[in-house]
Amino acid sequence: MTLFKWSKPIGAICAIAIMLYGWIGFAQSPQPSVRLTTNPPINQVRPLEAEATTVLGSGHYNPPVQLMLQAVDAQGQSLKDAKIHLQLFTPPKNPWFTTDFPIVEGTKLLDIEGNAPTGQLQVQQTLPIRGTYQLLVAVTPLVANAFEPIQQTLTLTLPENPLKFRYFGILVVILLAVGLLGGWVIGGRQPIQPGEIAPQQVRLLLSGLIVVAIAALLWVNISAELAESHMSMPSMGEEVPSSGKPAKLQSQGLYMQLSGDKSATVGQPAKLQVSVSDPKTSQPVTDVVLKVTTTQLENNWVAFAYEGTPDSNGKLVWEQEFFDGAPHSVVVEVAPQANAKEQFQPFQVAENIPVEGVAPPMTVRLISLTYFTGIVVIGLLLGLWLRHRQTPRTGLTWKRSVS
């Protein structure tokens, strides 16, 4: 009777244990996923502004980073005939430790969807600022029910140029030395002449600090206004150089058109698309390869590049952010696939897009100025403290001499 009484609870416990074991095993089993690799490795990449300076970088703009996404199944095999949708977001805003492009922080840098016959999507993208980028990837089958769709969030951390920390340390030492010297001078024993509220050296030092502070504030405001007016020039009618290529072209039995936004603003994505069709039948053409290249025209560096096939409607649609306030050239080249029935010579369409720059917020500039001022004040207080410790106590000495 006792065994029969406990048989049901024991059986229930065993059943629950088997179910939990199976659920845990299923949860820990390999799942379809997306793998991300970069070329060069991300720890060898530097933000855009740092690499282009002769002091912090090589003095020239390096090629954009290759981002390679590979969709694989549970066994690690590449998924065939997939469509990959990629959204790339810049590091979030941090007003206390801003980057070279604060307007770009926390924005969408790229949004593109492309066919991936081998399960791979590859783009080349210039990364403008340091920090952790977020990639939202969605993989769906081109053939219905071929595999389960994949939704995955990936991250990519771009390190800051180490030389920036070195030069920032040098700047901090200089500012501390200036404050230390000022505190040492102010804290010294200096006679006060009748009618003066402070010794002459102290008054001269304070006057110099006030002049420097006013000059710094004027420089911050004037440079910001000049930069803003300069970056706004394209939107005020400045002529953007022609690309020398048409935005739409009919050639060799194909019609290709590049359309979308004709201008852009830093910090906001621009929508673009290219379509390829048969001019006789107006039917989309899909057995071609499209090569997209976006180039900044002032310094001639590549901001974005992509090579892929159009969708079933003969179109390639994407959004990209222009993070530099200068004209950009978008060039799309069409070429036949290797197994295409109709072979032709590649040809291009292009569009030059003026980009309106946006000046950094005044709060960001004032916060940076406050940091530097605070470092000088710390040095000033340190100088006063050191001078106070070294200065002899004259009152005590006088009393001892009298006694």
Side-chain angles (χ1 to χ4, degrees):
M1 292 295 293
T2 304
L3 293 176
F4 179 77
K5 179 180 179 181
W6 289 100
S7 61
K8 291 185 178 181
I10 293 174
I13 293 173
C14 293
I16 293 174
I18 293 173
M19 292 176 62
L20 288 175
Y21 179 79
W23 180 80
I24 293 173
F26 176 77
Q28 292 180 347
S29 63
Q31 300 293 319
S33 61
V34 179
R35 298 172 181 172
L36 171 64
T37 56
T38 65
N39 185 25
I42 195 62
N43 59 356
Q44 299 178 11
V45 181
R46 296 294 178 262
L48 170 71
E49 196 65 22
E51 70 180 7
T53 59
T54 55
V55 177
L56 297 177
S58 59
H60 65 273
Y61 293 93
N62 293 327
V65 183
Q66 292 185 357
L67 305 178
M68 292 165 283
L69 299 172
Q70 183 70 57
V72 296
D73 58 17
Q75 287 72 38
Q77 301 297 321
S78 297
L79 293 174
K80 306 298 183 181
D81 297 326
K83 178 182 290 187
I84 300 179
H85 182 199
L86 168 65
Q87 298 181 75
L88 175 61
F89 294 88
T90 59
K93 290 182 177 294
N94 188 347
W96 305 111
F97 300 99
T98 184
T99 61
D100 294 333
F101 298 93
I103 299 298
V104 178
E105 297 171 3
T107 59
K108 183 191 292 185
L109 189 60
L110 178 65
D111 189 336
I112 189 170
E113 184 178 60
N115 293 339
T118 61
Q120 185 180 83
L121 178 75
Q122 178 176 312
V123 300
Q124 299 181 50
Q125 177 66 56
T126 294
L127 303 177
I129 59 177
R130 69 173 185 272
T132 300
Y133 291 77
Q134 189 177 62
L135 298 86
L136 303 183
V137 185
V139 183
T140 54
L142 290 175
V143 180
N145 301 322
F147 57 84
E148 289 294 328
I150 304 172
Q151 299 279 344
Q152 192 168 342
T153 300
L154 305 172
T155 57
L156 191 69
T157 301
L158 180 64
E160 183 60 280
N161 191 334
L163 289 177
K164 276 198 169 185
F165 298 109
R166 179 187 302 177
Y167 287 112
F168 177 74
I170 295 174
L171 178 60
V172 169
V173 171
I174 293 174
L175 293 177
L176 280 174
V178 171
L180 185 65
L181 178 62
W184 183 270
V185 172
I186 292 176
R189 295 176 56 189
Q190 301 169 7
I192 301 178
Q193 302 298 329
E196 295 180 343
I197 61 175
Q200 183 180 5
Q201 292 181 348
V202 175
R203 287 186 283 111
L204 290 175
L205 179 61
L206 293 177
S207 299
L209 291 176
I210 293 173
V211 171
V212 171
I214 294 175
L217 287 173
L218 289 175
W219 177 79
V220 168
N221 287 277
I222 292 174
S223 62
E225 293 298 327
L226 291 176
E228 187 171 3
S229 62
H230 171 72
M231 290 185 293
S232 300
M233 289 174 67
S235 62
M236 298 172 62
E238 181 184 359
E239 184 177 353
V240 178
S242 173
S243 64
K245 301 180 181 67
K248 51 186 177 181
L249 180 63
Q250 180 175 335
S251 175
Q252 306 175 72
L254 292 178
Y255 176 74
M256 182 166 63
Q257 180 179 6
L258 175 61
S259 59
D261 294 338
K262 302 300 181 182
S263 62
T265 303
V266 172
Q268 301 177 10
K271 297 181 179 180
L272 299 166
Q273 78 168 27
V274 61
S275 59
V276 185
S277 61
D278 187 332
K280 296 180 180 179
T281 62
S282 298
Q283 294 298 312
V285 176
T286 59
D287 57 349
V288 295
V289 177
L290 299 174
K291 299 179 182 180
V292 182
T293 305
T294 300
T295 306
Q296 196 257 31
L297 294 178
E298 282 189 357
N299 305 107
N300 198 35
W301 49 268
V302 176
F304 167 72
Y306 170 74
E307 180 176 340
T309 58
D311 59 17
S312 58
N313 297 317
K315 296 181 179 181
L316 174 64
V317 183
W318 76 98
E319 294 181 11
Q320 66 176 106
E321 179 183 340
F322 299 92
F323 48 82
D324 191 11
H328 286 65
S329 173
V330 180
V331 179
V332 182
E333 179 181 281
V334 61
Q337 294 184 11
N339 57 352
K341 296 180 180 180
E342 299 292 338
Q343 297 293 318
F344 57 89
Q345 290 297 321
F347 61 93
Q348 298 177 342
V349 294
E351 184 78 45
N352 283 4
I353 299 178
V355 180
E356 181 178 355
V358 179
M362 180 62 69
T363 54
V364 172
R365 299 191 293 270
L366 290 179
I367 288 174
S368 300
L369 182 61
T370 302
Y371 287 156
F372 295 142
T373 305
I375 294 172
V376 175
V377 171
I378 292 173
L380 184 67
L381 295 176
L382 183 60
L384 287 172
W385 179 71
L386 291 175
R387 188 69 170 187
H388 177 71
R389 290 192 60 183
Q390 187 172 0
T391 301
R393 299 181 180 181
T394 56
L396 181 60
T397 304
W398 180 80
K399 286 183 180 180
R400 288 179 178 176
S401 62
V402 170
S403 62

